[in-house]
Amino acid sequence: RAVQLLGCTAVHPQHEACALRWLAGGAGRCGVCGVSVGVRTGGQPDNGVMRDWVEDRALPGFRFGSRTRVVEYDFDDGVQGDRHPNPGRPFSGTYRRCYLPTPEGDAVFARLEVAFERRLVFNVGTSLTTGRSDCVVWAGIHHKTQKTGGAAEHGYPDATYLDRVSDELAAAGVAADDAPLPVATVLGVE
């Protein structure tokens, strides 16, 4: 049976089985024209937790009075599923702590929450830093894992980071309008 995916740029019928296979695989793109369709999901293990809180100090490169949002990701060890490279084999979990300026990074944070829900922030693979396989690794959306040290040390200041991570989120299928509007951060003003 032939179908057409909603959102495609042109009318091009596809085999239903092919279209379902592309979407089930998490591609989130039409196999003919490449346009994003549906909601893209990734291979992030489902045993992860994302937590956040705000600290009352500014990150380097941001104005006095801005604050720091701390984001933690925590994954236990587990067993790989169908979306992972070695289904049935164990994988090693991970713990990561990252930093965003607030209120400047609130819109990015809202999109990161959507990306996490869609399983796009992490994947199971081989670590670029340790060479270890079958572990939870980043899936291409860069995070700042240090408060200081600049871009070379995965920290701040980094004047273009928020724009770059916004582009990476868009490339992963998380548009600005996919996230709820950020809540204004109150900076002690009554």
Side-chain angles (χ1 to χ4, degrees):
R1 177 167 89 158
V3 298
Q4 180 183 345
L5 298 173
L6 296 176
C8 290
T9 56
V11 176
H12 45 259
Q14 302 171 51
H15 292 107
E16 181 179 26
C18 295
L20 290 173
R21 191 169 48 249
W22 291 325
L23 295 175
R29 296 191 179 278
C30 170
V32 177
C33 68
V35 73
S36 290
V37 293
V39 174
R40 182 177 173 189
T41 58
Q44 176 178 296
D46 59 7
N47 69 347
V49 177
M50 178 182 186
R51 295 181 285 273
D52 76 290
W53 67 90
V54 176
E55 296 178 345
D56 282 332
R57 77 182 337 167
L59 290 163
F62 291 91
R63 66 178 170 75
F64 177 78
S66 70
R67 299 163 74 191
T68 300
R69 181 176 305 277
V70 180
V71 182
E72 287 184 333
Y73 298 102
D74 197 0
F75 289 86
D76 291 331
D77 296 347
V79 176
Q80 295 180 52
D82 292 340
R83 290 183 173 216
H84 301 134
N86 300 301
R89 283 181 50 182
F91 68 82
S92 300
T94 194
Y95 169 83
R96 305 286 171 89
R97 181 177 280 186
C98 310
Y99 306 94
L100 283 167
T102 184
E104 298 89 344
D106 288 350
V108 165
F109 175 71
R111 291 172 71 190
L112 286 172
E113 287 184 302
V114 171
F116 188 82
E117 289 171 16
R118 293 181 183 173
R119 302 171 51 171
L120 298 167
V121 179
F122 292 90
N123 206 342
V124 174
T126 300
S127 169
L128 294 175
T129 55
T130 67
R132 211 173 77 210
S133 61
D134 298 321
C135 57
V136 177
V137 296
W138 293 113
I141 300 171
H142 288 86
H143 286 61
K144 291 294 185 180
T145 55
Q146 302 294 321
K147 291 181 181 178
T148 62
E153 298 294 324
H154 310 289
Y156 296 93
D158 185 348
T160 62
Y161 170 68
L162 294 175
D163 291 332
R164 290 193 326 269
V165 74
S166 290
D167 291 344
E168 291 170 353
L169 285 159
V174 181
D177 60 0
D178 287 343
L181 293 175
V183 176
T185 302
V186 178
L187 299 175
V189 178
E190 297 284 329

